[in-house]
Amino acid sequence: MDQYAVVGNPISHSKSPLIHTLFAKQCSQELEYSKLESPLNGFSDFVNDFFYGNGNYFAESHQGLGKGLNVTVPFKEQAWSLCSQLSDGAKLAGAVNTLYLNDQNKICGENTDGIGLVRDIKNQGISFEGKKILIIGAGGAVRGVLQPILNEMPEKVVVANRTLSKADALVAIFSELGDVSSSGFDQLSEPFDIVINGTSASLGGQLPDISSAIFSSSTIVYDMMYAKALTVFNAWAKEQGVRAVYDGLGMLVEQAAEAFFIWRGIRPKTEEVIQLLREA
Ligand code: ATR
């Protein structure tokens, strides 16, 4: 049976096997999707064994069956480096979360995170077109979503980061794609239509040190993190009376759906899977 997996380190927390197993069932696809922990210093070798078989990690019976990988922390940049072919979006993202083989059996990479974020927000009936967008953070997660957001023709995108130089560096990469500028936290003093938190602050239960002036009663807020309860960022935004808050669970399922489409040519329905994960 065709083999797919998510590879990371650590990996035990991953919801990807559940999501892809639900997709496969829904789309009547015969495949197996597992989670794999690659050694921190052997990622390239691990991936090559998965696709081509060199006997270092996988049994002989696996040979020829490895069809696709999702890649998560901390390997997305390394995965990008080992690809023979990258989509235009992946080139700019500097990281990939989806690997597959092309017709010549070469490893190809795509970054479906940004596509997932944009699709999840659009699923809520929210358009980016002509909107003022604030993205907080300037790490790998934000770099991965900037191109798909700029493709949606917003009026402007401001990338604000605690360390301004990192926001400057990101903006320089994407400046030809639209009106995108950088900002420090203390320069933010006006409301945005859509505010996206792409920092890792929520993971530690922290809030970026930003004025609540970024919110108005019509602001839509999206935290790329997700948690069982409201993330601290979304709880804070709600207290300020914003229109709606969303977390990144939908993005997780949508990025998986795009990877599934790349591998199998079928686009699974996501709504019921998101609902199921939400209730789990
Ligand atoms: P990721 O891959 O999740 O993007 P990263 O590349 O380490 O991780 O980036 C983390 C981002 O979260 C950075 O923008 C970081 O800000 P700095 O560049 O100033 O470090 C941001 N971040 C993390 N904790 C934060 C906090 N408590 N307040 C504000 N920003 C924070």
Side-chain angles (χ1 to χ4, degrees), residues 80-103:
W80 184 87
S81 302
L82 66 74
C83 287
S84 301
Q85 194 181 306
L86 291 164
S87 69
D88 289 346
K91 276 182 201 154
L92 285 171
V96 296
N97 70 342
T98 304
L99 298 176
Y100 60 99
L101 296 177
N102 67 9
D103 297 344

Side-chain angles (χ1 to χ4, degrees), residues 137-142 161-163 166 185 198-201 206-209:
V142 170
N161 198 42
R162 183 175 59 182
T163 312
K166 283 212 233 163
F185 284 172
T199 70
S200 49
Q206 290 179 314
L207 277 176
D209 189 12

Side-chain angles (χ1 to χ4, degrees), residues 106-178:
K106 296 268 198 279
I107 297 176
C108 305
E110 176 60 283
N111 191 318
T112 68
D113 286 333
I115 300 165
L117 169 74
V118 166
R119 208 163 276 155
D120 188 36
I121 291 182
K122 286 168 86 174
N123 286 347
Q124 321 300 327
I126 298 157
S127 159
F128 289 82
E129 204 181 329
K131 300 280 172 63
K132 294 182 179 67
I133 310 212
L134 172 65
I135 304 181
I136 307 166
V142 170
R143 184 169 173 183
V145 302
L146 271 171
Q147 191 235 18
I149 290 174
L150 286 163
N151 279 353
E152 294 293 315
M153 310 293 286
E155 182 189 313
K156 67 168 183 179
V157 172
V158 175
V159 178
N161 198 42
R162 183 175 59 182
T163 312
L164 179 59
S165 59
K166 283 212 233 163
D168 289 340
L170 265 199
V171 163
I173 297 170
F174 293 91
S175 59
E176 280 173 18
L177 299 185

